[in-house]
Amino acid sequence: MFYFFLYETSTGIIQQPPIQAVTNPWPNPPSSWSVASFATTDTTAILAAANPAWYLVQSGALVIQPHWLVTATASTTTSGEYSLSATLENPPATPPSTCAFAVAGGTLSATVSNNTATATIQLHASVASQPVTVQVSASGTVSGSTTINSGTAGVGLQLVTSGTTPLVAPAGTGSLAYLRQTAFGLTTGNLIGLLVQSLQALMATSSSVSEFLVNVVIPAITQTTWAAADISAYQAAIASWQKNVVPNQVAWTDLLDAQGNPVQGYTDLQTLAPMVLDAWNTYNTWASEVPNLS
């Protein structure tokens, strides 16, 4: 049994993952490529089969190249912060003095000292569980990589370097919606239910305040002869509202930014509010009709 390596004749670069077989699986390789075979008991061949990018085929032998091993270690004190470390294995006689950490479409330059380079990144809270690949490269070496977290990315990423620690954050099409969804705690499992519940709560808030303003406040302040407004019908609801709702509401002064423009959440509020009145009424009708709801 042999490992068969298909490689570029002029450079020795292995072109495809090696194949373990008894006979040559590439009897007619392209003219610029060649095939080399090594026994499956050969220690070097075993390592090269597992890591073909680290090796070249030169003069019929597998020759290991300078290559990077990369690790990412989570901070024990700062949530989302990772220490990146890259070690140059089998370094050349004159190692590179710098290397590049490629992260989320950006690059961090690092000094190589004693064949080791380090960097630090911070994952934004909204992408703390997203997979983030870190690749390290330098001239004359084979790049190496590692991936923080696993799974499938839910949004595009960018590397923001304007702060103290380079920040991996959402970017691109859908990133604003992703931030809004993530900040609200929406997931694939709870998205529809929580969204509808929240929109109904929004309608309850805006409708109640608007009704009180229009039917009580405005008539009171526009009377030609002053008289205290009768709010006796509202006393119990007001007390409950003050205790349970007001401490968690956005103030009027928070609706606009320093330039007097609506903040994004307020813009969303204006867009969404008209959509839920019918759902609110239907929901309450159904809830009154169906027992044992939770």
Side-chain angles (χ1 to χ4, degrees), residues 163-202:
T164 303
T165 302
L167 178 69
V168 177
T173 303
S175 57
L176 183 61
Y178 174 84
L179 280 177
R180 186 164 55 241
Q181 171 181 323
T182 304
F184 205 60
L186 298 176
T187 66
T188 301
N190 71 11
L191 177 61
I192 300 302
L194 188 55
L195 180 60
V196 172
Q197 180 186 38
S198 300
L199 290 176
Q200 289 173 339
L202 166 65

Side-chain angles (χ1 to χ4, degrees), residues 83-226:
S83 297
L84 309 178
S85 178
T87 302
L88 183 60
E89 298 288 321
N90 192 53
T94 303
S97 58
T98 62
C99 69
F101 286 82
V103 187
T107 302
L108 301 174
S109 181
T111 299
V112 178
S113 177
N114 295 322
N115 299 313
T116 301
T118 60
T120 301
I121 59 173
Q122 174 72 44
L123 270 58
H124 187 267
S126 65
V127 293
S129 60
Q130 296 279 339
V132 177
T133 298
V134 178
Q135 185 177 63
V136 177
S137 60
S139 178
T141 68
V142 177
S143 61
S145 66
T146 189
T147 300
I148 300 169
N149 299 321
S150 59
T152 302
V155 67
L157 298 175
Q158 63 174 320
L159 185 66
V160 180
T161 58
S162 56
T164 303
T165 302
L167 178 69
V168 177
T173 303
S175 57
L176 183 61
Y178 174 84
L179 280 177
R180 186 164 55 241
Q181 171 181 323
T182 304
F184 205 60
L186 298 176
T187 66
T188 301
N190 71 11
L191 177 61
I192 300 302
L194 188 55
L195 180 60
V196 172
Q197 180 186 38
S198 300
L199 290 176
Q200 289 173 339
L202 166 65
M203 180 54 69
T205 299
S206 60
S207 296
S208 299
V209 172
S210 296
E211 187 273 337
F212 186 77
L213 177 67
V214 171
N215 292 339
V216 178
V217 176
I218 292 178
I221 63 177
T222 57
Q223 297 175 93
T224 55
T225 302
W226 185 90

Side-chain angles (χ1 to χ4, degrees), residues 7 28-29 31 34 36 98 102 113 131 135 206 209 232 246 256 282:
Y7 66 95
N28 299 299
S31 59
S34 301
T98 62
S113 177
Q135 185 177 63
S206 60
V209 172
S232 57
V246 171
L256 307 178
T282 301

